[in-house]
Amino acid sequence: MTAEVNQQELVQYIANRTKLDPKRIQLVLKHEQAFMSGAKANAKGEVDIDGDELVDYVLSRPDVKLDELKVEAILDAEMDYLIEQGLADYDD
């Protein structure tokens, strides 16, 4: 992702879609960022993230008190937002 994301707008978008507490959404996004920061980029500078590994990582954090479906809903809504903004796409 090269463009800046408006975090407040992103969290509100996810909250509207998932009906979850914005503080919990922010926590999931914080752990997602930590996971992605540790991921290795390929020769093109792209990072390939395995969704299941990401969800497992977030769920393994002791301060995350959400179930798997809610974490997945947050991450799915985030991806929808990023696609709508033209900042991401799914790689087949």
Side-chain angles (χ1 to χ4, degrees), residues 22-81:
K23 288 186 184 345
R24 291 180 185 235
I25 293 167
Q26 290 171 327
L27 185 61
V28 169
L29 296 177
K30 178 186 92 169
H31 289 305
E32 175 195 28
Q33 188 59 46
F35 179 84
M36 292 177 66
S37 293
K40 303 276 188 233
N42 64 17
K44 296 180 184 177
E46 300 169 336
V47 178
D48 186 27
I49 301 295
D50 180 288
D52 291 334
E53 288 178 14
L54 174 57
V55 170
D56 289 345
Y57 175 83
V58 171
L59 289 171
S60 73
R61 305 295 91 195
D63 55 346
V64 174
K65 306 295 184 211
L66 296 169
D67 61 40
E68 183 174 355
L69 292 177
K70 289 178 179 147
V71 170
E72 287 177 350
I74 290 169
L75 297 174
D76 288 345
E78 177 194 27
M79 191 63 175
D80 291 344
Y81 173 85

Side-chain angles (χ1 to χ4, degrees), residues 11-28:
V11 170
Q12 189 59 51
Y13 177 93
I14 295 170
N16 288 343
R17 300 273 303 252
T18 64
K19 307 300 184 219
L20 295 170
D21 178 10
K23 288 186 184 345
R24 291 180 185 235
I25 293 167
Q26 290 171 327
L27 185 61
V28 169

